Amino acid sequence: MKALLIVDVQNDFCTGGALATRGGEEVAPVINNIADKFDLVVASKDWHPEETVHFEKWPVHCVAGTHGAEFHAELNSKIIDQVVEKGTANVDDGYSAFEATNLDLVQFLKSKEIDTVYVCGIATDYCVLSSALDAQKHGFKTVVIKDAIRAVNLKEGDGDRAIEQMKEAGCEVVHSNQI
Ligand code: VGL
Ligand code: ZN
């Protein structure tokens, strides 16, 4: 069984947001179009407290319950079976959807007999990277959808390096039209 893991397609990571990636919202229609090819769709939310050491490294973003933390309006919420929240503690980790605090994602996926996890969303060089590496580490066949991810690119090339790192770890990288 195949799951789609949609990482952090939230307003603050899209155009006009507090920690915007270039064209982040463009992943939404790609994701909407492929969603019906999966047995299960899980979407993560970066979901921070108002004060956290995470904001020593980043501009304030995705504070739980705010507009910036909502899914982008172009992402079709009807496709989502389960939402997971991460980054909820006052620490600078929790970049991975597998560190969600409202659900044990590994157990949940196993209970649904998922063996393959397709990863998409934002940001390629942080939460997508961390979530894909974790999926792989937990024994799922892991596939990254390259036209459905966007990078922060704090340093030029970070997104490309993240894709290389995911490949080296054993993740497959595909275009959405190959699914
Ligand atoms: C993310 C930076 C800070 C992400 C979250 O979703 O990739 N990046 N918090
Ligand atoms: Zn964050």
Side-chain angles (χ1 to χ4, degrees):
M1 302 276 247
K2 297 190 299 186
L4 179 64
L5 176 57
I6 307 169
V7 177
D8 302 2
V9 181
Q10 292 165 274
N11 291 322
D12 271 341
F13 296 123
C14 297
T15 302
L19 185 42
T21 56
R22 183 194 279 238
E25 63 283 356
E26 292 165 8
V27 302
V30 180
I31 294 168
N32 294 341
N33 276 332
I34 56 173
D36 66 351
K37 300 188 187 293
F38 298 90
D39 303 296
L40 181 73
V41 178
V42 176
S44 70
K45 277 185 165 174
D46 208 31
W47 198 250
H48 297 306
E50 272 176 43
E51 287 179 32
T52 162
V53 294
H54 186 65
F55 296 154
E56 288 168 16
K57 184 161 169 191
W58 300 104
V60 174
H61 63 279
C62 295
V63 172
T66 63
H67 174 76
E70 289 309 308
F71 289 129
H72 192 275
E74 283 188 43
L75 182 69
N76 178 6
S77 58
K78 294 193 191 110
I79 65 174
I80 301 169
D81 298 307
Q82 176 69 48
V83 175
V84 295
E85 298 165 359
K86 61 179 183 59
T88 58
N90 180 12
V91 288
D92 184 39
D93 55 11
Y95 289 93
S96 166
F98 288 89
E99 292 175 62
T101 51
N102 64 321
L103 181 80
D104 182 332
L105 185 54
V106 172
Q107 283 313 311
F108 180 70
L109 295 175
K110 288 189 173 161
S111 76
K112 305 284 183 190
E113 294 174 41
I114 299 299
D115 51 41
T116 307
V117 177
Y118 284 71
V119 184
C120 61
I122 310 170
T124 310
D125 34 3
Y126 292 94
C127 291
V128 168
L129 172 65
S130 184
S131 300
L133 295 180
D134 269 358
Q136 180 76 21
K137 198 175 75 193
H138 286 294
F140 298 101
K141 177 171 155 52
T142 305
V143 185
V144 179
I145 309 168
K146 63 183 172 194
D147 53 322
I149 55 177
R150 290 293 184 279
V152 174
N153 281 326
L154 223 49
K155 266 206 314 235
E156 201 187 310
D158 279 354
D160 292 338
R161 280 188 289 273
I163 291 173
E164 281 315 307
Q165 208 180 324
M166 292 187 276
K167 281 186 185 164
E168 276 163 26
C171 303
E172 195 182 327
V173 177
V174 302
H175 190 278
S176 62
N177 64 18
Q178 296 170 266
I179 299 169

